[in-house]
Amino acid sequence: MLLKGVTPVLDEFQRPLKDLRISVTDRCNFRCTYCMPKEVFGSNFTFLPHHELLTFEELTRTARIFAKLGVTKVRVTGGEPLLRKDLPVLIQMIASIPGIEDIALTTNGSLLTKEYAQSLKNAGLNRVSISLDALNDDIFSRINSVDFPVKRVLEAIDNANAAGFFPIKINMVVKRGINEEEVLKMAEHFRHTPYILRYIEFMDVGNNNGWQMKDVVTANEILQKINAKWPIEPLAKNRDGEVANRFRYLDGAGEIGIIASVTQAFCMDCNRARLSSNGKLYTCLFAHQGNDLRQLLRSEKSDLEISEWIEQVWSGRNDRYSMLRTENTTFSPGDKIEMHHIGG
Ligand code: SAM
Ligand code: SF4
Ligand code: SF4
């Protein structure tokens, strides 16, 4: 529910601003080939110095201003968000903001111990998505590039479950020739569990992952594969702006989701603003330019002035990158923001 007296701010296509994604760090302990390929993000790569990251106070102030503009959901992401020290403190600060009803986290799970999951839950985190692209260790290692074992991510998922998070979503990016053969294995593993597996089409985020349309295993291909083995049927969306198409197994084994951002663009439902780790406001995952919010937060500007500035940015928004790329798969606007700066 919107805060009392709030009229949602609309962009050029009448899309309301509802969801804020905050990248709390640009650092990551993985080097997933589709996000931070190790050839580019090697030991010489320079990440942001701490003073360039927004402080918890700045992030909370930002979330409070966004809540007054109609935002009800916040997703904390990265880089790897659990690398940001004292994250539960930030979660608690955001959870206390009137109007913020839902706080979610996307993580690779590598640092999600039982205790940490519980402290995030106690701080007011509502939902967790954990990324896992394969059950086979060789395949997973080839993707994460740091030999991180599958078993530890599966433990993280159980830790989140034990802490009381529900439902927990498992994000699997599917890339042709890399982990296609894991599509059914992952489905089998997560059937009859409380976890919702979501297949994600490999996207052309950033400028370094060598994206080509031929490497995208399409949502239709994935669904056909699953349906042939375990028949499924579509489910209605849970809410406006939901990115995944939902399906349920006819035999009652649970639910899966598909995020078809390449072949079935959902830009016209996109109500998400994104804050990069260095405090730039982006109105699209594929934007090549951000708006410098950090500079405003560190100036003498009042909350009202910053709010008016955000309103101006959002009302001028006409982004629909995926739609344009779906129409023309070679379309590119030039340099884009990197995924590890802006999160998923
Ligand atoms: N490090 C955390 C993680 O991996 O869950 C959070 C940040 S990560 C950038 C957020 C999500 O974006 C992950 O689920 C990841 O798999 C997904 N992602 C990253 N690069 C992608 C790409 N090129 N195509 C599709 N999804 C991608
Ligand atoms: Fe790190 Fe997540 Fe990107 Fe993988 S997808 S490199 S875990 S930020
Ligand atoms: Fe939203 Fe941009 Fe993705 Fe379209 S391409 S759904 S506008 S983030």
Side-chain angles (χ1 to χ4, degrees):
M1 268 233 310
L2 283 180
L3 272 181
K4 223 169 140 205
V6 169
T7 316
V9 39
L10 301 177
D11 72 5
E12 283 191 7
F13 295 114
Q14 306 303 305
R15 295 170 295 188
L17 169 55
K18 281 199 182 155
D19 188 331
L20 177 65
R21 302 201 162 197
I22 299 176
S23 173
V24 291
T25 177
D26 60 332
R27 287 165 202 262
C28 189
N29 52 349
F30 283 15
R31 287 292 177 273
C32 302
T33 52
Y34 49 69
C35 178
M36 296 176 76
K38 66 174 191 299
E39 298 72 23
V40 179
F41 299 90
S43 49
N44 291 332
F45 187 82
T46 317
F47 290 97
L48 292 172
H50 195 71
H51 69 268
E52 291 210 21
L53 299 177
L54 294 187
T55 63
F56 285 0
E57 287 69 27
E58 288 167 336
L59 288 169
T60 308
R61 181 181 177 204
T62 302
R64 188 173 298 115
I65 296 172
F66 270 93
K68 288 194 180 145
L69 285 169
V71 162
T72 55
K73 276 183 58 192
V74 170
R75 178 168 294 275
V76 175
T77 177
E80 175 43 47
L82 298 188
L83 286 177
R84 181 81 190 249
K85 204 166 158 263
D86 297 328
L87 195 68
V89 174
L90 175 67
I91 301 289
Q92 197 164 23
M93 289 164 81
I94 296 176
S96 69
I97 298 172
I100 299 296
E101 295 167 350
D102 184 37
I103 309 177
L105 171 82
T106 308
T107 171
N108 62 23
S110 58
L111 302 169
L112 197 62
T113 59
K114 229 182 203 138
E115 296 69 33
Y116 205 9
Q118 195 59 60
S119 68
L120 288 164
K121 179 79 183 155
N122 296 347
L125 184 70
N126 302 103
R127 293 185 300 124
V128 178
S129 299
I130 298 177
S131 305
L132 177 64
D133 299 323
L135 289 170
N136 175 295
D137 264 319
D138 289 339
I139 299 176
F140 188 46
S141 286
R142 246 178 281 143
I143 296 172
N144 66 51
S145 311
V146 293
D147 277 341
F148 199 85
V150 170
K151 187 169 156 274
R152 299 252 317 265
V153 183
L154 295 176
E155 280 165 11
I157 295 169
D158 288 340
N159 293 342
N161 187 40
F165 290 107
F166 180 82
I168 295 165
K169 292 176 181 158
I170 314 299
N171 286 348
M172 172 184 183
V173 177
V174 189
K175 192 171 166 194
R176 191 167 316 280
I178 304 293
N179 62 344
E180 263 172 294
E181 69 216 60
E182 295 286 294
V183 164
L184 286 181
K185 290 179 187 149
M186 288 278 284
E188 182 161 34
H189 184 87
F190 288 106
R191 277 165 50 79
H192 298 291
T193 70
Y195 311 129
I196 300 179
L197 175 60
R198 304 195 309 173
Y199 299 96
I200 306 179
E201 287 181 345
F202 170 44
M203 292 189 286
D204 50 335
V205 283
N207 313 291
N208 296 307
N209 70 5
W211 184 90
Q212 296 183 67
M213 186 62 210
K214 70 176 177 51
D215 294 332
V216 179
V217 182
T218 67
N220 281 342
E221 286 177 77
I222 294 170
L223 289 173
Q224 273 169 22
K225 235 182 204 183
I226 294 171
N227 191 50
K229 180 120 194 217
W230 301 289
I232 47 176
E233 68 175 9
L235 288 172
K237 289 214 181 249
N238 274 328
R239 53 187 157 73
D240 285 350
E242 185 169 51
V243 295
N245 293 326
R246 302 168 60 220
F247 296 84
R248 71 172 202 99
Y249 292 110
L250 293 184
D251 63 5
E255 180 182 328
I256 56 166
I258 298 260
I259 303 182
S261 21
V262 177
T263 60
Q264 297 164 34
F266 37 77
C267 297
M268 285 304 127
D269 289 331
C270 181
N271 51 27
R272 293 175 288 282
R274 296 179 146 90
L275 194 57
S276 68
S277 38
N278 58 352
K280 294 235 166 77
L281 178 63
Y282 286 84
T283 53
C284 178
L285 187 52
F286 298 91
H288 51 112
Q289 227 178 344
N291 304 274
D292 199 347
L293 181 61
R294 189 184 65 195
Q295 191 205 324
L296 296 184
L297 290 166
R298 293 184 181 174
S299 72
E300 297 299 308
K301 297 270 186 235
S302 66
D303 285 5
L304 183 62
E305 286 169 302
I306 294 178
S307 173
E308 283 168 358
W309 177 87
I310 295 170
E311 240 178 296
Q312 208 176 2
V313 169
W314 189 264
S315 49
R317 173 189 193 237
N318 62 7
D319 304 281
R320 54 194 191 294
Y321 173 81
S322 288
M323 266 174 76
L324 299 174
R325 190 242 295 101
T326 303
E327 286 159 18
N328 171 7
T329 56
T330 58
F331 167 76
S332 172
D335 265 12
K336 292 170 270 175
I337 173 82
E338 290 297 331
M339 191 74 154
H340 72 110
H341 261 293
I342 202 174

